[in-house]
Amino acid sequence: MVTGNVPVLSLIFVSLVSFSSSFTPSDNYLLNCGSPTNTTLDNRLFLADSTKPGSDSLSAGQSISVLNQNPPRNSPALYHTARVFTSSSGYRFNIKKNGTHLVRFHFSPFVARGFDLTSANFSVMVNGILILRDLHSNNSSAVVREYIIEIDINEVVIVFTPMNDSGFGFVNAIEVFSAPGDFVIDAGVKLIRADRIEMYKNLSSQVLETVSRINVGGPKLTPFNDTLWRTWIPDDDYLVLKSAARRVSASHPPNYQSGGSSREIAPDIVYMTAQEMNRENLTLDARFNITWNFPVGLDPARYLVRLHFCDIVSRGLNLLYFNVYINGYLASGDLDLSTVTYHVLASPVYADYVVDSDDSGVVRVSVGPSALSSVLTMNAILNGAEIMKMVTVPIAETNSNSKKTNIWVLVSSVVGGFVGLCLALLALLLAIKCWTKKPKPRPSESVAWTPLRVYGGSSHSRMSEGTAYASPGPNGYFALRIPFADVQLATKNFDQNLIIGSGGFGTVYKGVLRDNTKVAVKRGVPGSRQGLPEFQTEITVLSKIRHRHLVSLVGYCEEQSEMILVYEYMEKGPLKSHLYASGLPPLSWKQRLEICIGSARGLHYLHTGSAQGIIHRDIKSTNILLDENYMAKVADFGLSRSGPCLNETHVSTGVKGSFGYLDPEYFRRQQLTDKSDVYSFGVVLFEVLCARPAVDPLLAREQVNLAEWAMQWQKKGMLQQIIDPHLAGQIKPSSLKKFGETAEKCLAEYGVDRPTMGDVLWNLEHALQLQETGQRREPNEDGSINERELSAPGIVTPFQASNIRQDGADGNQNSNISTTEIFSQLMTNEGR
Ligand SMILES: *[C@@H]1O[C@H](CO)[C@@H](O)[C@H](O)[C@H]1NC(C)=O
Ligand SMILES: *[C@@H]1O[C@H](CO)[C@@H](O)[C@H](O)[C@H]1NC(C)=O
Ligand SMILES: *[C@@H]1O[C@H](CO)[C@@H](O)[C@H](O)[C@H]1NC(C)=O
Ligand SMILES: *[C@@H]1O[C@H](CO)[C@@H](O)[C@H](O)[C@H]1NC(C)=O
Ligand SMILES: *[C@@H]1O[C@H](CO)[C@@H](O)[C@H](O)[C@H]1NC(C)=O
Ligand SMILES: *[C@@H]1O[C@H](CO)[C@@H](O)[C@H](O)[C@H]1NC(C)=O
Ligand SMILES: *[C@@H]1O[C@H](CO)[C@@H](O)[C@H](O)[C@H]1NC(C)=O
Ligand SMILES: *[C@@H]1O[C@H](CO)[C@@H](O)[C@H](O)[C@H]1NC(C)=O
Ligand SMILES: *[C@@H]1O[C@H](CO)[C@@H](O)[C@H](O)[C@H]1NC(C)=O
Ligand SMILES: *[C@@H]1O[C@H](CO)[C@@H](O)[C@H](O)[C@H]1NC(C)=O
């Protein structure tokens, strides 16, 4: 864009190796402008820009060196000189390596040789892009402006242009150096809009101007202690409500991992400090966000918001779930850093969001606890924030007011000349019009999970909730393949003595892998392709998700017409065997509550977490497994289905599931929603409380179906009459009441009346709290109750087992499955 006619200082310096950092940029130019001597600042050597006065490249009369005779005490030598430009002129730097570069300008005005630098008024262009317009400063404080620019033409040409005939521009120092290769990448960037979130594709081609760079919860960092010689400032002045936040810091350096953030993206200390929620004020009823307002000015513009996270507050994995909002829009919901970091605590990640400014003059960033978080772990954190403005001013506009003789060179070099200028101005006007008219409706509910569905992740070094989910490894789930020989070895060639279960799918063996991992090996009937869809579903679903409360898939084997799934071994087996008919010691009420809470959390994660809205479809007490510490994990995803897509409320599907747990609405209408899992979970809750099977044909007719029977007692308010005798005297009435109400709501006839798993989780935690403290939760002062509480239902008709049969036969005549078929399916699934 810029022709060679523009006078420039040609600088072909050798790149300087930096001493203060392990990062060595390929290109590294540091200029002490207007000075005949080199000088050092923050351990970096800035070279004299006029070592050869009178050199050909320096046009006489167009740039002048000036020296501050009376510099303020403590001001660095770098700021004692400046170069003044009285017409369009500047510097050219040869670039060895294409890619992202950082360009910094230091402006520290003073009065010298008849120039009052505070009255300068000028613009700056880099490679023909106008990055700074009408720069002027009416006081003498030093200002550093930083730009992040993609360079692909082997040179950086910087041109300073005075804004009027008698005006001038100046600069004290310039830095031009290569950024690390992954500093700005295009994958995984979210564009946050009022009504939706979409992928932002062109980040690396944007010129970015740093507006704020914040070390949240930490100290000020100077170029001396930053890997890329940046300045990070504390967040305190930006906190909207200081009492909402509390500083935390870690004593150990963060666990950098490939695929996460790096020291160059932000230095250790940014990730080792954070603000978390001030828990003193945090109660069940009073949730709040931590909010920062970062001033950005009122001009309409688009901003990159880069947020840095490192979980230095949790004691374990999958304990911290929080929401991130930008300008009031949900930007990341139910963020679980453990998932994003492939299950390493205190591992740094960052997320890039693009957002348009509104008329508030600030970019507002909030973090707050998600509905997934438990009472004890409710928290939210932020370690660092960078706000960068996208520089989009078209070139032609710069010089429209200037009459300098050499300006025509610039303008004529623009393709299309005048036409281009008009088009550019028109585009700018239109853009401004669109920006200012931007409406701001509340984000719709669906935004909460849309991004997780829409965006596959990148394998690059950034956080993208999609990543952890979408790609278990570079080879997809093939990475989980296990050779048949290894499976044979692990199970002593399928030793009968190692069988721990069997069912419709086949046989389950206990096994030990070469690395001594205990596993459960599920082997389909060899040679039979029966159950192939379930086999494949299980692999695709489980290879994508990892969660503390979901049984994880260790591997699978598809060799020699085998269908084998290998899971983590769950020492204590299915929940069911700890409830009845096994002779195992009974579980305490607290243990039972914790198991229910754990499985609810796993299920809630399936429904809403980064797992893309999966419906399990076969929740029952045999599919909830316990590890050696009685921690619950949801298992058996063979029937699971992806949830409804945007704008759909359900998935139409053939009815599958287990008798006694089956959602009557799903059964009748064959429309699957996550509320079907909620129903089945309600049955499990009563099973846990009453210690009897969901269906027991040997009992009196009104007792056969647990859901029906327990609901009758619950409605009479006499639930305590039918609880497991082992629990007698153990359950506090308030805890039982909460638990009963929760189960009752789960079993509501219609899905819409049932709570979400998040609500169920919340209420179970409350039941546990009531059991532990015996306290009742009081309504709010205005008499309302917290919205998370289950509101009084409409008329709830308990689902009747006998009805199912009739409805199944009479109500589904259009459907192509017969009742018998359903039941045979259910029966074969029962033992899996
Ligand atoms: C400044 O430093 C460069 C590189 O070390 C050196 O070549 C040059 O001679 C120095 N200039 C002066 C004026 O000291
Ligand atoms: C210049 O001075 C005005 C009035 O004192 C002030 O509002 C403005 O912020 C100053 N601008 C700069 C760049 O310092
Ligand atoms: C100069 O202006 C800047 C930006 O407006 C302001 O932050 C700073 O405090 C001012 N300094 C003085 C000495 O007025
Ligand atoms: C940089 O990119 C330009 C244009 O794509 C190309 O001509 C040039 O050779 C590249 N330079 C380097 C050092 O790769
Ligand atoms: C800088 O120059 C431009 C163009 O002449 C003018 O519009 C603007 O008001 C000037 N700014 C100051 C602070 O003088
Ligand atoms: C041009 O700028 C100089 C210095 O900033 C100022 O003194 C002069 O009034 C300006 N002239 C016009 C025409 O704007
Ligand atoms: C995005 O980048 C592509 C390729 O770099 C380019 O063709 C396209 O015009 C860019 N779009 C925008 C909106 O900048
Ligand atoms: C950062 O560097 C300054 C010196 O510029 C030093 O005083 C300070 O202790 C350093 N801070 C950290 C956190 O390393
Ligand atoms: C926290 O409690 C203190 C003291 O009661 C109060 O001043 C402050 O506003 C509270 N903060 C929040 C975020 O509720
Ligand atoms: C947190 O902030 C978001 C966006 O402003 C808001 O929708 C949400 O209700 C807030 N949460 C709490 C608990 O205040």
Short mmCIF file of all heavy atoms in Angstrom, two decimals, residues 578-618:
data_model
loop_
_atom_site.label_atom_id
_atom_site.label_comp_id
_atom_site.label_asym_id
_atom_site.label_seq_id
_atom_site.Cartn_x
_atom_site.Cartn_y
_atom_site.Cartn_z
N HIS A 578 -26.65 -52.26 46.90
CA HIS A 578 -26.46 -51.73 48.26
C HIS A 578 -27.78 -51.32 48.89
O HIS A 578 -27.82 -50.84 50.01
CB HIS A 578 -25.52 -50.52 48.24
CG HIS A 578 -24.13 -50.89 47.83
ND1 HIS A 578 -23.15 -51.23 48.72
CD2 HIS A 578 -23.56 -51.02 46.61
CE1 HIS A 578 -22.03 -51.54 48.08
NE2 HIS A 578 -22.27 -51.42 46.79
N LEU A 579 -28.86 -51.50 48.13
CA LEU A 579 -30.16 -51.07 48.63
C LEU A 579 -30.99 -52.25 49.13
O LEU A 579 -31.63 -52.19 50.16
CB LEU A 579 -30.93 -50.32 47.54
CG LEU A 579 -30.32 -48.98 47.10
CD1 LEU A 579 -31.09 -48.39 45.94
CD2 LEU A 579 -30.28 -47.99 48.27
N TYR A 580 -30.98 -53.34 48.38
CA TYR A 580 -31.82 -54.48 48.78
C TYR A 580 -31.34 -55.77 48.13
O TYR A 580 -30.56 -55.75 47.16
CB TYR A 580 -33.29 -54.23 48.43
CG TYR A 580 -33.51 -53.70 47.03
CD1 TYR A 580 -33.63 -54.55 45.93
CD2 TYR A 580 -33.62 -52.32 46.80
CE1 TYR A 580 -33.83 -54.07 44.66
CE2 TYR A 580 -33.83 -51.82 45.53
CZ TYR A 580 -33.92 -52.71 44.46
OH TYR A 580 -34.11 -52.22 43.19
N ALA A 581 -31.81 -56.86 48.68
CA ALA A 581 -31.66 -58.20 48.11
C ALA A 581 -30.22 -58.57 47.79
O ALA A 581 -29.95 -59.19 46.77
CB ALA A 581 -32.52 -58.33 46.85
N SER A 582 -29.28 -58.16 48.64
CA SER A 582 -27.90 -58.56 48.35
C SER A 582 -27.16 -58.94 49.61
O SER A 582 -26.09 -59.54 49.54
CB SER A 582 -27.16 -57.41 47.69
OG SER A 582 -27.02 -56.36 48.63
N GLY A 583 -27.71 -58.58 50.75
CA GLY A 583 -27.03 -58.90 52.00
C GLY A 583 -25.89 -57.95 52.34
O GLY A 583 -25.23 -58.12 53.35
N LEU A 584 -25.65 -56.94 51.49
CA LEU A 584 -24.61 -55.96 51.82
C LEU A 584 -25.11 -55.05 52.94
O LEU A 584 -26.32 -54.84 53.09
CB LEU A 584 -24.27 -55.13 50.59
CG LEU A 584 -23.56 -55.87 49.45
CD1 LEU A 584 -23.45 -54.99 48.21
CD2 LEU A 584 -22.18 -56.33 49.90
N PRO A 585 -24.19 -54.50 53.74
CA PRO A 585 -24.64 -53.62 54.84
C PRO A 585 -25.38 -52.40 54.29
O PRO A 585 -25.00 -51.88 53.24
CB PRO A 585 -23.34 -53.21 55.52
CG PRO A 585 -22.25 -53.55 54.57
CD PRO A 585 -22.74 -54.65 53.71
N PRO A 586 -26.44 -51.99 54.97
CA PRO A 586 -27.22 -50.86 54.46
C PRO A 586 -26.41 -49.57 54.50
O PRO A 586 -25.56 -49.37 55.36
CB PRO A 586 -28.41 -50.79 55.41
CG PRO A 586 -27.97 -51.48 56.65
CD PRO A 586 -26.97 -52.51 56.24
N LEU A 587 -26.70 -48.69 53.54
CA LEU A 587 -26.05 -47.37 53.50
C LEU A 587 -26.76 -46.42 54.45
O LEU A 587 -27.97 -46.53 54.64
CB LEU A 587 -26.13 -46.80 52.08
CG LEU A 587 -25.47 -47.61 50.96
CD1 LEU A 587 -25.90 -47.08 49.59
CD2 LEU A 587 -23.96 -47.57 51.10
N SER A 588 -25.99 -45.48 55.00
CA SER A 588 -26.62 -44.47 55.87
C SER A 588 -27.38 -43.48 55.00
O SER A 588 -27.21 -43.43 53.77
CB SER A 588 -25.54 -43.74 56.66
OG SER A 588 -24.82 -42.90 55.80
N TRP A 589 -28.21 -42.67 55.64
CA TRP A 589 -28.99 -41.67 54.90
C TRP A 589 -28.06 -40.66 54.22
O TRP A 589 -28.25 -40.28 53.08
CB TRP A 589 -29.96 -40.97 55.84
CG TRP A 589 -30.80 -39.91 55.17
CD1 TRP A 589 -30.94 -38.63 55.55
CD2 TRP A 589 -31.62 -40.08 54.01
NE1 TRP A 589 -31.78 -37.96 54.70
CE2 TRP A 589 -32.22 -38.83 53.74
CE3 TRP A 589 -31.90 -41.15 53.16
CZ2 TRP A 589 -33.09 -38.63 52.66
CZ3 TRP A 589 -32.76 -40.95 52.09
CH2 TRP A 589 -33.34 -39.70 51.86
N LYS A 590 -27.01 -40.28 54.95
CA LYS A 590 -26.09 -39.32 54.37
C LYS A 590 -25.40 -39.91 53.14
O LYS A 590 -25.27 -39.25 52.11
CB LYS A 590 -25.04 -38.92 55.41
CG LYS A 590 -24.17 -37.78 54.94
CD LYS A 590 -23.13 -37.38 55.95
CE LYS A 590 -22.16 -36.40 55.31
NZ LYS A 590 -20.84 -36.41 55.90
N GLN A 591 -24.97 -41.16 53.26
CA GLN A 591 -24.34 -41.82 52.11
C GLN A 591 -25.30 -41.85 50.93
O GLN A 591 -24.93 -41.58 49.79
CB GLN A 591 -23.95 -43.27 52.46
CG GLN A 591 -22.61 -43.40 53.14
CD GLN A 591 -22.33 -44.85 53.49
OE1 GLN A 591 -23.20 -45.56 54.02
NE2 GLN A 591 -21.12 -45.30 53.21
N ARG A 592 -26.54 -42.18 51.22
CA ARG A 592 -27.52 -42.26 50.13
C ARG A 592 -27.71 -40.89 49.47
O ARG A 592 -27.81 -40.78 48.25
CB ARG A 592 -28.85 -42.78 50.66
CG ARG A 592 -28.76 -44.21 51.12
CD ARG A 592 -30.09 -44.77 51.57
NE ARG A 592 -29.86 -45.90 52.46
CZ ARG A 592 -30.72 -46.88 52.68
NH1 ARG A 592 -31.90 -46.86 52.08
NH2 ARG A 592 -30.42 -47.86 53.50
N LEU A 593 -27.79 -39.85 50.31
CA LEU A 593 -27.96 -38.51 49.75
C LEU A 593 -26.77 -38.15 48.88
O LEU A 593 -26.92 -37.60 47.78
CB LEU A 593 -28.11 -37.49 50.88
CG LEU A 593 -29.51 -37.34 51.46
CD1 LEU A 593 -29.49 -36.36 52.64
CD2 LEU A 593 -30.49 -36.84 50.41
N GLU A 594 -25.59 -38.48 49.36
CA GLU A 594 -24.39 -38.13 48.58
C GLU A 594 -24.35 -38.88 47.26
O GLU A 594 -23.92 -38.34 46.23
CB GLU A 594 -23.13 -38.40 49.41
CG GLU A 594 -22.89 -37.27 50.41
CD GLU A 594 -21.83 -37.59 51.46
OE1 GLU A 594 -21.44 -38.78 51.57
OE2 GLU A 594 -21.41 -36.65 52.16
N ILE A 595 -24.81 -40.12 47.29
CA ILE A 595 -24.85 -40.89 46.04
C ILE A 595 -25.87 -40.27 45.07
O ILE A 595 -25.60 -40.11 43.88
CB ILE A 595 -25.20 -42.37 46.36
CG1 ILE A 595 -23.99 -43.04 47.02
CG2 ILE A 595 -25.62 -43.11 45.10
CD1 ILE A 595 -24.31 -44.35 47.69
N CYS A 596 -27.01 -39.87 45.61
CA CYS A 596 -28.02 -39.23 44.75
C CYS A 596 -27.48 -37.91 44.19
O CYS A 596 -27.69 -37.60 43.01
CB CYS A 596 -29.31 -38.96 45.53
SG CYS A 596 -30.17 -40.46 46.01
N ILE A 597 -26.79 -37.17 45.03
CA ILE A 597 -26.25 -35.88 44.58
C ILE A 597 -25.20 -36.09 43.49
O ILE A 597 -25.21 -35.44 42.46
CB ILE A 597 -25.66 -35.10 45.78
CG1 ILE A 597 -26.79 -34.60 46.68
CG2 ILE A 597 -24.79 -33.94 45.32
CD1 ILE A 597 -26.34 -34.05 48.02
N GLY A 598 -24.33 -37.08 43.72
CA GLY A 598 -23.29 -37.37 42.73
C GLY A 598 -23.89 -37.78 41.40
O GLY A 598 -23.50 -37.26 40.34
N SER A 599 -24.86 -38.68 41.44
CA SER A 599 -25.41 -39.11 40.15
C SER A 599 -26.21 -37.99 39.50
O SER A 599 -26.22 -37.86 38.28
CB SER A 599 -26.22 -40.40 40.28
OG SER A 599 -26.77 -40.54 41.55
N ALA A 600 -26.87 -37.17 40.33
CA ALA A 600 -27.59 -36.03 39.76
C ALA A 600 -26.62 -35.09 39.07
O ALA A 600 -26.90 -34.54 38.00
CB ALA A 600 -28.36 -35.28 40.85
N ARG A 601 -25.44 -34.94 39.67
CA ARG A 601 -24.47 -34.04 39.08
C ARG A 601 -23.96 -34.60 37.74
O ARG A 601 -23.85 -33.87 36.76
CB ARG A 601 -23.30 -33.81 40.04
CG ARG A 601 -22.30 -32.81 39.50
CD ARG A 601 -21.39 -32.28 40.57
NE ARG A 601 -22.13 -31.47 41.52
CZ ARG A 601 -21.99 -31.55 42.83
NH1 ARG A 601 -21.13 -32.41 43.35
NH2 ARG A 601 -22.69 -30.79 43.62
N GLY A 602 -23.70 -35.90 37.71
CA GLY A 602 -23.27 -36.52 36.46
C GLY A 602 -24.31 -36.36 35.38
O GLY A 602 -24.02 -36.02 34.23
N LEU A 603 -25.55 -36.57 35.77
CA LEU A 603 -26.65 -36.48 34.82
C LEU A 603 -26.87 -35.04 34.35
O LEU A 603 -27.12 -34.78 33.17
CB LEU A 603 -27.91 -37.00 35.52
CG LEU A 603 -29.00 -37.64 34.71
CD1 LEU A 603 -28.46 -38.60 33.68
CD2 LEU A 603 -29.93 -38.39 35.67
N HIS A 604 -26.74 -34.14 35.29
CA HIS A 604 -26.90 -32.73 34.92
C HIS A 604 -25.80 -32.33 33.94
O HIS A 604 -26.03 -31.58 32.99
CB HIS A 604 -26.83 -31.86 36.18
CG HIS A 604 -27.10 -30.42 35.92
ND1 HIS A 604 -27.98 -30.00 34.94
CD2 HIS A 604 -26.62 -29.30 36.49
CE1 HIS A 604 -28.02 -28.68 34.93
NE2 HIS A 604 -27.19 -28.23 35.85
N TYR A 605 -24.62 -32.86 34.17
CA TYR A 605 -23.52 -32.58 33.25
C TYR A 605 -23.84 -33.12 31.85
O TYR A 605 -23.63 -32.45 30.85
CB TYR A 605 -22.23 -33.19 33.78
CG TYR A 605 -21.05 -32.96 32.87
CD1 TYR A 605 -20.41 -31.73 32.84
CD2 TYR A 605 -20.61 -33.97 32.02
CE1 TYR A 605 -19.35 -31.51 31.99
CE2 TYR A 605 -19.55 -33.74 31.16
CZ TYR A 605 -18.92 -32.52 31.14
OH TYR A 605 -17.88 -32.30 30.30
N LEU A 606 -24.37 -34.34 31.83
CA LEU A 606 -24.76 -34.92 30.53
C LEU A 606 -25.74 -34.00 29.81
O LEU A 606 -25.65 -33.77 28.62
CB LEU A 606 -25.44 -36.26 30.74
CG LEU A 606 -24.63 -37.54 30.72
CD1 LEU A 606 -25.58 -38.72 30.72
CD2 LEU A 606 -23.72 -37.61 29.52
N HIS A 607 -26.71 -33.50 30.57
CA HIS A 607 -27.78 -32.71 29.95
C HIS A 607 -27.30 -31.35 29.49
O HIS A 607 -27.69 -30.88 28.43
CB HIS A 607 -28.93 -32.50 30.94
CG HIS A 607 -29.72 -33.75 31.18
ND1 HIS A 607 -30.75 -33.81 32.09
CD2 HIS A 607 -29.63 -34.98 30.64
CE1 HIS A 607 -31.26 -35.04 32.10
NE2 HIS A 607 -30.60 -35.76 31.24
N THR A 608 -26.48 -30.70 30.30
CA THR A 608 -26.22 -29.28 30.03
C THR A 608 -24.76 -28.93 29.91
O THR A 608 -24.43 -27.88 29.42
CB THR A 608 -26.76 -28.41 31.19
OG1 THR A 608 -26.07 -28.77 32.37
CG2 THR A 608 -28.23 -28.56 31.36
N GLY A 609 -23.88 -29.79 30.35
CA GLY A 609 -22.47 -29.44 30.35
C GLY A 609 -21.91 -29.40 28.95
O GLY A 609 -22.66 -29.40 27.97
N SER A 610 -20.60 -29.42 28.86
CA SER A 610 -20.00 -29.36 27.54
C SER A 610 -20.32 -30.63 26.77
O SER A 610 -19.90 -30.82 25.65
CB SER A 610 -18.49 -29.17 27.65
OG SER A 610 -17.96 -30.10 28.55
N ALA A 611 -21.09 -31.52 27.39
CA ALA A 611 -21.43 -32.78 26.75
C ALA A 611 -22.54 -32.64 25.73
O ALA A 611 -23.08 -33.63 25.28
CB ALA A 611 -21.80 -33.79 27.80
N GLN A 612 -22.93 -31.43 25.40
CA GLN A 612 -23.76 -31.23 24.23
C GLN A 612 -25.21 -31.70 24.38
O GLN A 612 -25.86 -31.99 23.40
CB GLN A 612 -23.13 -31.98 23.06
CG GLN A 612 -23.36 -31.32 21.74
CD GLN A 612 -22.75 -32.13 20.63
OE1 GLN A 612 -22.30 -33.25 20.82
NE2 GLN A 612 -22.71 -31.57 19.46
N GLY A 613 -25.72 -31.80 25.59
CA GLY A 613 -27.12 -32.15 25.73
C GLY A 613 -27.41 -33.60 25.39
O GLY A 613 -28.09 -33.91 24.43
N ILE A 614 -26.85 -34.49 26.20
CA ILE A 614 -27.08 -35.92 25.96
C ILE A 614 -28.17 -36.40 26.90
O ILE A 614 -28.19 -36.05 28.08
CB ILE A 614 -25.77 -36.70 26.19
CG1 ILE A 614 -24.78 -36.34 25.08
CG2 ILE A 614 -26.02 -38.19 26.26
CD1 ILE A 614 -23.39 -36.88 25.31
N ILE A 615 -29.09 -37.21 26.38
CA ILE A 615 -30.12 -37.81 27.20
C ILE A 615 -29.72 -39.26 27.44
O ILE A 615 -29.42 -39.99 26.49
CB ILE A 615 -31.49 -37.71 26.51
CG1 ILE A 615 -31.82 -36.24 26.22
CG2 ILE A 615 -32.57 -38.35 27.36
CD1 ILE A 615 -33.01 -36.06 25.31
N HIS A 616 -29.69 -39.68 28.69
CA HIS A 616 -29.18 -41.01 29.00
C HIS A 616 -30.16 -42.10 28.58
O HIS A 616 -29.79 -43.10 28.01
CB HIS A 616 -28.90 -41.09 30.51
CG HIS A 616 -28.24 -42.36 30.93
ND1 HIS A 616 -28.91 -43.56 30.99
CD2 HIS A 616 -26.96 -42.63 31.30
CE1 HIS A 616 -28.07 -44.51 31.37
NE2 HIS A 616 -26.87 -43.96 31.57
N ARG A 617 -31.43 -41.91 28.85
CA ARG A 617 -32.53 -42.81 28.48
C ARG A 617 -32.61 -44.09 29.28
O ARG A 617 -33.52 -44.88 29.06
CB ARG A 617 -32.45 -43.19 26.99
CG ARG A 617 -32.79 -42.07 26.07
CD ARG A 617 -33.53 -42.57 24.85
NE ARG A 617 -32.71 -43.36 23.97
CZ ARG A 617 -33.15 -43.96 22.87
NH1 ARG A 617 -34.43 -43.85 22.55
NH2 ARG A 617 -32.37 -44.64 22.12
N ASP A 618 -31.67 -44.38 30.13
CA ASP A 618 -31.78 -45.64 30.87
C ASP A 618 -31.26 -45.48 32.29
O ASP A 618 -30.44 -46.26 32.77
CB ASP A 618 -31.01 -46.74 30.12
CG ASP A 618 -31.48 -48.14 30.54
OD1 ASP A 618 -32.53 -48.23 31.21
OD2 ASP A 618 -30.80 -49.12 30.20
#
